Amino acid sequence: MAEKSGNAFDFKLFRRLIGYTNPYKFIFYFVCFSAILLSAFSVLRPYLLQQAIDKTIIPKDNELLVFFISSMLGVLLLEVISQFLFIYFANLLGQEVIRDIRIKLFKHMLGFKKQYYDKSAVGRLVTRAVSDIETIASIFSQGLFMIISDLLKMVVILGYMLYQSWQLTLLVLIVLPFVLYATRVFQKKMKIAFEEVRTQVSNLNSFVQERITGMKIVQLFTREETEYATFKEINEKHKKGWIKTVWYNSIFFPIAEMSSSIAIGLIVWFGGLKAAQGDVITLGVVIAFIELSQMLFRPLRQIADKFNSLQMGMVAANRVFAILDIDSKIENKGDILLENVKGKITFDNVRFSYIEDEEILKGVSFTVNAGETVAIVGATGAGKSTIINLLNRFYEIDSGVISVDDVDIESIDLKSLRNHIAVVLQDVFLFADTILNNITLNNPDIPEEKVHQVAKEIGIHDFINSLPNGYHYNVKERGAMLSSGQRQLISFLRAYVTNPGILVLDEATSSIDSYSEELIQDATNKITRGRTSIVIAHRLATIRNADKIIVMDQGKIVEQGSHNELLEITNGYYKNLYEVQFTDVME
């Protein structure tokens, strides 16, 4: 989580963010030029108003009055055009920048180790990638350039005021320090407040995302009231975070407004006396100063308001950059590209731990010969699925060597390695898309005709065609429109259509109906034929025909052999496990 700080502004973070505008220098400079134009126009209208009063209204020169009114209309039109260009291109720049940052962030997240996602809340990551990045755009659209424009206006206005009357300017400057001090305090307080707001937004998003995803569990265990109470508590914290920002706003803006009114009162009092005495201060100068003082204090109020947007954007940028700075990638130093994979797999004294000093695999060694079907069995937590994760390099091993076709997988290009290994998981994930796109994952090298052909080969073509729109049936989020067995069949086809050299089935036949299991068993026999396959299963009846069965317990291999060989071991782990399952089936 971003560290809270009372510093009003983080220039190091700001410089890093501005670096993303480099590809759009023309737009950046154009916006800056528009800001300069707006600052110049800011004094033209008061100047023309002053001239109109002193040179046309008092002397009653109607023709010259028409000239000044026309000039004021022309300046106003140019100011409107400049304001339009300024706002449009400032927003355009902001959108260009956040598009690039969002693309970079998503690409960065695609390469994270699986371990990172094991420890990170999905809702919080979604907040970073969507709403936080959108907030960064406000730095450009409502923050940075607006502040620059307002500051330029203030400098030009003060310069012009000094030129017209140092006495009236001094009266305005007497009030100005109080507003500047209030603005400074306001900025510091708002930075801390907005950090708290972003934290509470992340917590709220994370909670809502998880509960909506797990709504079935919430309702199944009648936890609606408990979750509702927890949500109210989180929402209350979210509200309090925002109320703090409202509190600071409600204090600052009345102070700024009161200061502006005091300055106008002083100008009317002093300037009016001088104008009545026929001093160099004319009625036109007094009227111009009233407008100029308003224009001077208004940017101060706007700067504070825009600084809110800037602070929120900076806080959001800090959180996004914190993810971009995370080094959680699997090192892809391999340069070997696999071709014509035979499928020999070797684990040589492999040790691995998810948490330091808590080993999951304790010196595991085994070999799967090319074309063999090897089953891995054991109790929950024995390390079966970990072997699959390590083979795909989702995690880095602590020691030992894993090789494919006698090549260390760390020497193989990561993409090339995973392209030749297909995995069918127990918990099938389907995207809210068509069946076809869930099978091909939008790979242009897999035409629909090939999908149809492969589906016929493994016997699930008729099942898919029986659905509305067939292969173009939208399965909705996480495949909610399909049963668990149907989702499993889709995952089989997704794995098989890539024609992998190595196939992994991780608990692929658990928790499904008998009809689907029959289809899956038939599909399994077809897609594993002549292909190196690793099958992880609790149901031992499904792996009796495996060439070799590896039995694991507490991170170690305790037995290896064929089904019949393992049954001959007296008091063997596999024999006991098989007899228990066989007895359960008979009963």
Side-chain angles (χ1 to χ4, degrees), residues 115-388:
Q115 197 164 9
Y116 175 81
Y117 292 104
D118 294 341
K119 298 177 181 179
S120 302
V122 174
R124 188 165 285 112
L125 292 175
V126 170
T127 300
R128 300 291 179 268
V130 181
S131 62
D132 276 346
I133 288 185
E134 197 62 44
T135 305
I136 293 174
S138 64
I139 292 177
F140 300 95
S141 61
Q142 302 173 30
L144 172 65
F145 292 114
M146 291 292 186
I147 291 174
I148 290 174
S149 176
D150 288 342
L151 287 174
L152 283 173
K153 285 180 182 178
M154 290 173 65
V155 170
V156 173
I157 288 169
L158 273 174
Y160 179 73
M161 289 170 74
L162 282 169
Y163 171 75
Q164 286 294 325
S165 172
W166 66 268
Q167 295 168 308
L168 291 178
T169 304
L170 187 61
L171 288 174
V172 175
L173 292 178
I174 290 173
V175 180
L176 195 59
F178 295 102
V179 181
L180 291 175
Y181 176 75
T183 302
R184 178 68 175 174
V185 173
F186 176 74
Q187 289 168 356
K188 287 185 177 182
K189 295 295 183 182
M190 288 302 286
K191 183 174 190 292
I192 297 173
F194 278 129
E195 285 175 342
E196 178 64 20
V197 166
R198 297 314 302 172
T199 298
Q200 296 306 328
V201 167
S202 293
N203 292 340
L204 188 64
N205 285 348
S206 181
F207 181 87
V208 172
Q209 189 272 335
E210 287 181 352
R211 268 55 185 186
I212 290 176
T213 303
M215 188 58 70
K216 185 177 180 180
I217 299 298
V218 172
Q219 295 178 347
L220 189 64
F221 289 91
T222 64
R223 305 303 293 169
E224 293 94 336
E225 290 185 8
T226 302
E227 297 300 337
Y228 174 67
T230 306
F231 176 79
K232 284 179 67 178
E233 184 179 340
I234 295 173
N235 200 38
E236 181 66 21
K237 291 180 180 178
H238 177 259
K239 184 201 76 173
K240 287 180 178 178
W242 275 109
I243 289 296
K244 192 177 290 185
T245 67
V246 173
W247 168 252
Y248 292 138
N249 277 301
S250 63
I251 293 174
F252 173 77
F253 286 103
I255 290 175
E257 192 66 37
M258 183 178 65
S259 301
S260 174
S261 299
I262 291 172
I264 292 173
L266 291 173
I267 291 170
V268 173
W269 167 69
F270 184 80
L273 288 176
K274 291 291 184 181
Q277 295 171 3
D279 201 279
V280 291
I281 298 177
T282 64
L283 181 60
V285 171
V286 173
I287 299 299
F289 259 76
I290 291 174
E291 185 173 355
L292 288 167
S293 65
Q294 286 283 76
M295 294 173 66
L296 182 66
F297 282 96
R298 191 183 305 124
L300 273 178
R301 295 195 297 272
Q302 290 178 346
I303 285 174
D305 192 30
K306 297 303 182 288
F307 204 87
N308 291 350
S309 300
L310 183 60
Q311 291 287 38
M312 285 191 72
M314 293 294 285
V315 170
N318 191 31
R319 293 175 183 276
V320 171
F321 288 150
I323 296 180
L324 284 172
D325 291 338
I326 291 173
D327 185 15
S328 182
K329 286 189 175 182
I330 294 289
E331 290 292 329
N332 187 20
K333 296 180 180 178
D335 54 3
I336 297 175
L337 300 178
L338 292 178
E339 294 181 8
N340 301 319
V341 174
K342 296 177 181 178
K344 181 182 178 183
I345 301 170
T346 305
F347 274 60
D348 183 12
N349 196 30
V350 173
R351 293 182 177 273
F352 171 76
S353 54
Y354 293 104
I355 302 172
E356 193 174 355
D357 298 326
E358 294 184 20
E359 278 192 335
I360 301 298
L361 297 186
K362 305 169 183 178
V364 170
S365 297
F366 66 87
T367 299
V368 180
N369 294 316
E372 278 188 338
T373 295
V374 173
I376 303 177
V377 299
T380 301
K384 307 184 297 297
S385 295
T386 299
I387 287 176
I388 308 310

Side-chain angles (χ1 to χ4, degrees), residues 47 65-66 211 455:
Y47 168 76
L65 178 62
V66 172
R211 268 55 185 186

Side-chain angles (χ1 to χ4, degrees), residues 408-427:
D408 187 341
I409 61 172
E410 292 188 7
S411 301
I412 302 172
D413 177 76
L414 191 59
K415 185 176 180 181
S416 178
L417 172 70
R418 292 177 180 171
N419 276 341
H420 289 86
I421 302 175
V423 181
V424 179
L425 298 171
Q426 175 185 358
D427 183 18

Side-chain angles (χ1 to χ4, degrees), residues 77-118:
L77 179 62
L78 290 173
E79 190 173 3
V80 168
I81 294 172
S82 299
Q83 189 77 27
F84 163 75
L85 294 173
F86 174 77
I87 293 173
Y88 176 80
F89 283 102
N91 279 274
L92 176 63
L93 180 63
Q95 291 301 317
E96 296 281 10
V97 167
I98 66 169
R99 179 197 61 188
D100 293 348
I101 295 177
R102 186 177 281 124
I103 290 172
K104 184 176 181 180
L105 178 66
F106 188 72
K107 183 179 181 181
H108 188 63
M109 291 168 65
L110 285 174
F112 279 166
K113 297 177 183 176
K114 192 172 180 293
Q115 197 164 9
Y116 175 81
Y117 292 104
D118 294 341

